[in-house]
Amino acid sequence: MKENFIPYENPTYETEELKKIAAEFYKQMDRRRSVREYSNKPVPKEVIQNLIMTASSAPSGAHKQPWTFCAVSSAQMKAKLREAAEKEEYENYHGRMSEEWLADLAKFETDWNKEFLEVAPWLIIVCKKSYDIIDGKKKKNYYVLESVGIASGFLLAAIHQAGLVSLTHTPSPMNFLTKILGRPENEKPFLLIPVGYPAEDAEVPKLERKSADDVIVWYE
Ligand code: IYR
């Protein structure tokens, strides 16, 4: 064995079992929805830590793991984040977003009001690190957007798998997050993800997903 290598370990499945497993996972993931109505029921910190560590197990350029996850449950900080996000979003919905953009969003009935930022028990702010600072020296990261995007996908899947709900909220611009969270120069907010139980009467827009024919091109 190569000196810095270890055996790869994970179960594999024979054809019939494999078909079942892939179909089941698709069915489970296909039930995931972005939810904007949250219960304030607490979620243990230990659960959030495991969800985040699942995200942090994602592959990344040169295994640099160029991310930081800010996990906020402080009511005071959530209120601050809501106030600042709504201020930006108000401007977005009243002039900064194009007519085409607003028309594309109409079916989601979103607006500048972001109550979920205070109601959800946790807000996870995923930050991307364009470089690291190690012993005072700048160290390069690679494929940062791809890496952080994949880690965020893992996070959403982990949250869903736990029966909790999430939303990839993208307040814009995001520099208020850097300020309120006190993040260093090399970190930029990427996504703000509320996490919690759905509100009892939570509803989601009626959407259709693209079919296999729409999204797959086979070359056999
Ligand atoms: N960032 C705004 C607007 C928004 C934009 C897209 I593209 C969406 O899919 C949903 C919302 C907001 O969070 O409301």
Side-chain angles (χ1 to χ4, degrees), residues 46-59 65 67 69 150-162:
E46 177 190 335
V47 169
I48 297 300
Q49 175 158 330
N50 279 321
L51 299 176
I52 292 175
M53 291 314 285
T54 303
S56 194
S57 75
Q65 300 183 264
W67 44 64
F69 299 87
I150 295 166
S152 299
F154 274 37
L155 180 58
L156 299 185
I159 292 166
H160 176 64
Q161 192 270 343

Side-chain angles (χ1 to χ4, degrees), residues 4 7 13 23 37 63 79 92 119 128 144 153-154 168 170 178 191 212:
N4 292 316
Y13 306 97
E37 293 160 350
H63 189 52
N92 291 336
V119 178
K128 57 175 196 270
V144 171
F154 274 37
T168 48
T170 50
T178 309
L191 284 174

Side-chain angles (χ1 to χ4, degrees), residues 61-209:
H63 189 52
K64 295 282 187 177
Q65 300 183 264
W67 44 64
T68 301
F69 299 87
C70 301
V72 179
S73 66
S74 148
Q76 203 188 5
M77 190 167 270
K78 286 194 288 181
K80 260 194 197 171
L81 292 170
R82 177 184 179 182
E83 193 189 345
E86 286 184 338
K87 211 165 138 199
E88 295 295 355
E89 290 298 290
Y90 185 90
E91 295 305 324
N92 291 336
Y93 281 90
H94 293 86
R96 289 206 295 227
M97 279 147 77
S98 67
E99 286 304 316
E100 182 182 2
W101 194 349
L102 290 171
D104 276 338
L105 287 184
K107 61 171 171 287
F108 305 100
E109 298 188 20
T110 57
D111 59 23
W112 59 272
N113 181 28
K114 303 298 175 192
E115 200 187 344
F116 55 77
L117 293 177
E118 277 192 282
V119 178
W122 291 94
L123 305 177
I124 300 177
I125 296 88
V126 184
C127 295
K128 57 175 196 270
K129 296 164 89 173
S130 49
Y131 58 93
D132 267 293
I133 304 168
I134 296 169
D135 299 330
K137 271 197 216 130
K138 273 193 185 183
K139 299 288 284 176
K140 263 196 175 161
N141 289 329
Y142 310 92
Y143 298 102
V144 171
L145 283 180
E146 291 83 347
S147 303
V148 179
I150 295 166
S152 299
F154 274 37
L155 180 58
L156 299 185
I159 292 166
H160 176 64
Q161 192 270 343
L164 300 172
V165 294
S166 66
L167 168 72
T168 48
H169 178 42
T170 50
S172 170
M174 288 201 182
N175 42 355
F176 71 90
L177 290 169
T178 309
K179 260 202 213 139
I180 294 174
L181 300 168
R183 300 320 301 160
E185 218 289 308
N186 62 325
E187 280 182 25
K188 297 280 177 280
F190 179 66
L191 284 174
L192 196 175
I193 304 179
V195 184
Y197 288 92
E200 245 169 60
D201 54 354
E203 292 185 347
V204 294
K206 204 169 169 177
L207 301 179
E208 297 256 323
R209 291 195 162 117

